[in-house]
Amino acid sequence: MNTQEILQVLPNLSLEDHLIIVEAALKLINQERNLSRIEQKRQLQAAAMMAVSDYAPESTLLVFSELDGEDFHDYSM
């Protein structure tokens, strides 16, 4: 279930269900915040590894870098 689906279902739930969801979400946030330094480093390394392909030659992220050094507008008259 994605965020949009969850937000659509929420108004149909009871107050008790809302509180259960909020409590569960806060527990998850608190657990993530209390990650050890080692686990934080592991997560950052994993995210960096996933992003490597974005910065590889010929990636769509770097397409506009081909314009580096070119004048944006020709002011010669």
Side-chain angles (χ1 to χ4, degrees):
M1 184 176 268
N2 65 34
T3 304
Q4 189 61 34
E5 292 170 330
I6 293 169
L7 292 175
Q8 287 176 352
V9 171
L10 276 176
N12 302 325
L13 300 176
S14 68
L15 178 59
E16 182 180 346
D17 287 338
H18 286 166
L19 294 173
I20 291 169
I21 292 168
V22 168
E23 182 180 10
L26 288 173
K27 282 182 182 177
L28 287 172
I29 291 168
N30 203 17
Q31 286 172 355
E32 288 181 19
R33 211 171 47 174
N34 291 328
L35 291 177
S36 69
R37 292 275 186 209
I38 294 170
E39 185 58 29
Q40 288 175 353
K41 187 174 181 178
R42 283 187 195 141
Q43 286 185 355
L44 287 172
Q45 287 173 333
M49 293 304 293
M50 288 174 38
V52 166
S53 63
D54 292 337
Y55 295 93
E58 306 298 323
S59 76
T60 56
L61 182 64
L62 298 178
V63 169
F64 294 107
S65 66
E66 294 173 7
L67 301 175
D68 289 351
E70 293 184 23
D71 291 334
F72 179 72
H73 188 305
D74 185 11
Y75 289 101
S76 60
M77 290 187 174

